[in-house]
Amino acid sequence: MNKKVFSEKQLKTLSAEEIIDKLQHDNYSLLKSLGAEKLRKEMVPVGKICNAAINYVLGSTKKSSKIDEKERIKKARAKLLKHLKRLTPGTYEGFPKDSKNGLVIGFNHPSLGEIARILMMKIDVMGDKPMLFPVNLPWYEALAPNYERIKELGIIITPTITPSTWAKINLEKGSELYEAGNKIKHEFRDLYTKLSHDIMKDGGVIFVAPAATRQATVFKTKEIYDKKEPIIPTMSVLAIELYKDPKINCDFLPIAVLPPENYKRNLNFFKNYQLIPGKPFTATEIRKKYIKKNATKLPEFDYDFHLRIAELLPKKFKY
């Protein structure tokens, strides 16, 4: 089915929530509207696989008067976990089962494969704890029509436009389409911030890739590792926003993802990944050591967060 496109007027006037609703329910594509149809099509195969898996585990776990809805979803998650363990195996030990104040988990992102393994770990270790996953727009569009079913499993996805995706969209700076896209990009970020607060207040978990895109190494370049070039402030921007609320005391946990030998950028079915938890940054530590008054980013925190991941991996994954 051909995707619908937003008019320029819609792009300028619709809120982020209204655009997302049309992505979910009305067969619209923001990427196609911004002239980036190729980016959308690249994620269609992965989206079909993910949607088929979710539809299967929920569709084959029928509603019944004998079990309540909570129990049905629990059975569906167990079924999904069983298939993930077979198709996308991974090992994970030492992850916290309970964090009353919520938990932000950041991971290196060498492929799509770790997403399935992280989901498997979350279901297995953390059960029905609410979960927020910011998803890059091409992937989000592939999953958006199935949003409600994904949410049934306790997974809330929200779209983001990463720096690399924004660069690939490659709009002419200053053009009306550029200005409209830039507005939407910032509104997506604001919505993500709001959802992050809601999830943390419920003691949930947020998964986020500090690199904001797939890359083979933790630090994108040796120059960033050597502190000669700036580091992307993904983790610190989130920390600053969350800790504006004195009631939020979530920890930030680094995860080192060790992919299999000769891995590809895709899902790497039937190959084993290792998820290795690092030493967490506590809310007290971040507030005292890193947060400065009126700061909009915390480069020392971002660097140290990356470093705690890199120190758990072989050197070839560092930079």
Side-chain angles (χ1 to χ4, degrees), residues 107-110 210-211 214-227 231-232 255-259 263 276 302-319:
F107 57 95
N108 57 306
H109 191 17
R214 281 177 285 174
Q215 63 186 44
T217 55
V218 178
F219 292 91
K220 189 171 184 178
T221 65
K222 189 173 187 301
E223 286 72 24
I224 295 175
Y225 175 78
D226 289 336
K227 299 185 178 180
I231 193 165
I232 187 168
I255 288 184
V257 173
L258 182 60
Y263 75 95
I276 310 163
D302 287 297
Y303 184 89
D304 289 351
F305 194 96
H306 282 71
L307 190 62
R308 286 195 190 181
I309 295 174
E311 288 174 339
L312 296 170
L313 295 169
K315 185 176 180 180
K316 66 179 180 178
F317 291 107
K318 291 182 179 179
Y319 51 78

Side-chain angles (χ1 to χ4, degrees), residues 132-144:
L132 177 64
F133 218 134
V135 177
N136 195 15
L137 183 60
W139 192 23
Y140 183 86
E141 287 201 8
L143 299 175

Side-chain angles (χ1 to χ4, degrees), residues 13 39 41 71 84 164 168 186 210 247 314:
T13 59
L39 289 181
K41 287 183 175 179
E71 184 64 23
L84 286 172
S164 62
K168 289 174 184 175
H186 284 90
K247 295 179 182 178

Side-chain angles (χ1 to χ4, degrees), residues 181-206:
N182 197 43
K183 174 188 78 76
I184 293 165
K185 176 163 68 86
H186 284 90
E187 288 184 356
F188 279 172
R189 186 181 66 190
D190 292 343
L191 178 60
Y192 167 44
T193 300
K194 177 184 179 299
L195 291 171
S196 296
H197 276 88
D198 294 342
I199 288 287
M200 288 299 103
K201 287 176 181 177
D202 291 337
V205 58
I206 300 172

Side-chain angles (χ1 to χ4, degrees), residues 41 69 74 87 112 130 142 166 222 236 238 247 289 298:
K41 287 183 175 179
E69 185 65 5
K74 185 178 178 180
L87 295 171
L112 286 176
W166 184 243
K222 189 173 187 301
S236 66
L238 184 55
K247 295 179 182 178
K289 184 176 179 180
L298 312 169

